[in-house]
Amino acid sequence: MELLHGFVKTSNFYDDINFPNGFNRSGHFTIQESELLTQVGRRLFVLEQGIDVPNNQVEQNFLQTCNHEKDSKTKVERLWQKYKKLTQKRAIHTLSATAKSTNQDNYSETEDSY
């Protein structure tokens, strides 16, 4: 079992949906962050999704960070939070006046009979 930054080494991680040109060409990650995310991202994903269980204390600490039980302290934990922030879908709220006022809102039925 090969470890990388305390995480079990698995196959490389790519996110073609959110980063079709790769992490390193997205403009969001440094070269070092791109390499690290590619190397350990798949393991981080399976841990966070509950597909696999932690094999050591480093992976357990990572899960606690994902569950907001503790603050991120390591480079990997901070990088995963950055990745998650960039890939989360956000609702867009706009201010617009779509409701139209009608005269019926201002009068009762008894007033209309006059």
Side-chain angles (χ1 to χ4, degrees), residues 3-114:
L3 295 181
L4 184 64
H5 291 274
F7 293 89
V8 175
K9 177 80 170 92
T10 61
S11 59
N12 286 346
F13 178 65
Y14 304 101
D15 183 348
D16 293 333
I17 294 172
N18 295 300
F19 302 99
N21 297 321
F23 300 122
N24 58 340
R25 292 180 181 240
S26 69
H28 296 288
F29 302 100
T30 66
I31 294 170
Q32 292 82 13
E33 287 175 334
S34 298
E35 290 173 358
L36 184 58
L37 191 54
T38 300
Q39 293 169 347
V40 298
R42 183 169 307 280
R43 181 67 181 159
L44 303 179
F45 178 81
V46 298
L47 287 170
E48 182 184 45
Q49 296 299 311
I51 298 169
D52 201 357
V53 295
N55 286 332
N56 57 42
Q57 189 60 46
V58 172
E59 292 183 349
Q60 182 62 44
N61 289 342
F62 169 76
L63 274 182
Q64 289 175 336
T65 301
C66 290
N67 295 330
H68 305 290
E69 296 171 9
K70 69 178 201 79
D71 293 333
S72 60
K73 294 183 180 177
T74 68
K75 180 189 298 187
V76 173
E77 291 169 350
R78 289 189 299 271
L79 176 58
W80 190 251
Q81 286 183 341
K82 180 178 180 178
Y83 168 78
K84 294 298 289 186
K85 183 178 179 183
L86 290 169
T87 58
Q88 287 176 344
K89 305 290 185 222
R90 292 190 177 93
I92 298 174
H93 302 281
T94 61
L95 298 175
S96 64
T98 57
K100 294 181 181 178
S101 177
T102 64
N103 287 339
Q104 292 176 351
D105 294 339
N106 298 326
Y107 302 104
S108 69
E109 287 183 29
T110 56
E111 292 176 321
D112 289 340
S113 61
Y114 292 115

